[in-house]
Amino acid sequence: QRAAQTFTAVQVFVEALRALDAQTPLRGLPLADQRIALNRQLLAGHYDTPLGPISFDQDGEVQQSQSTSRNSRWRRTGRVAPLSTWPPEGTHEL
């Protein structure tokens, strides 16, 4: 699960950076200005990721309609329970 979350974080960062650089070339901008512009781009974007669609609210909190998690219990066979999503398909968010 951590590998998927890490991949998604890098994907979102790279997509935002590419979109920003296409609008305003970053070369030559002071680092502080690059950081501010990237933060604004991250907050404005909507990203299709392996973990589902992701966006951010104005405070930078992740907005995600579903999340994927692994049950932490081991089965008697010694295998980990399969991945599941929340909310389960066919149900509504709480």
Side-chain angles (χ1 to χ4, degrees), residues 38-57:
L38 179 57
N39 187 47
R40 288 181 180 150
Q41 182 64 43
L42 282 165
L43 294 179
H46 296 275
Y47 309 94
D48 291 321
T49 75
L51 301 179
I54 291 177
S55 62
F56 299 92
D57 68 13

Side-chain angles (χ1 to χ4, degrees), residues 22-39:
Q23 294 171 8
T24 307
L26 297 174
R27 182 171 291 209
L29 281 179
L31 182 58
D33 293 342
Q34 290 179 18
R35 289 177 174 167
I36 291 168
L38 179 57
N39 187 47

Side-chain angles (χ1 to χ4, degrees), residues 3-4 9 23-26 43 60 63 65 67 69 76 89 91-92:
Q23 294 171 8
T24 307
L26 297 174
L43 294 179
Q63 302 299 302
S65 60
S67 64
S69 63
R76 291 181 186 209
E89 291 186 29
T91 63
H92 297 284

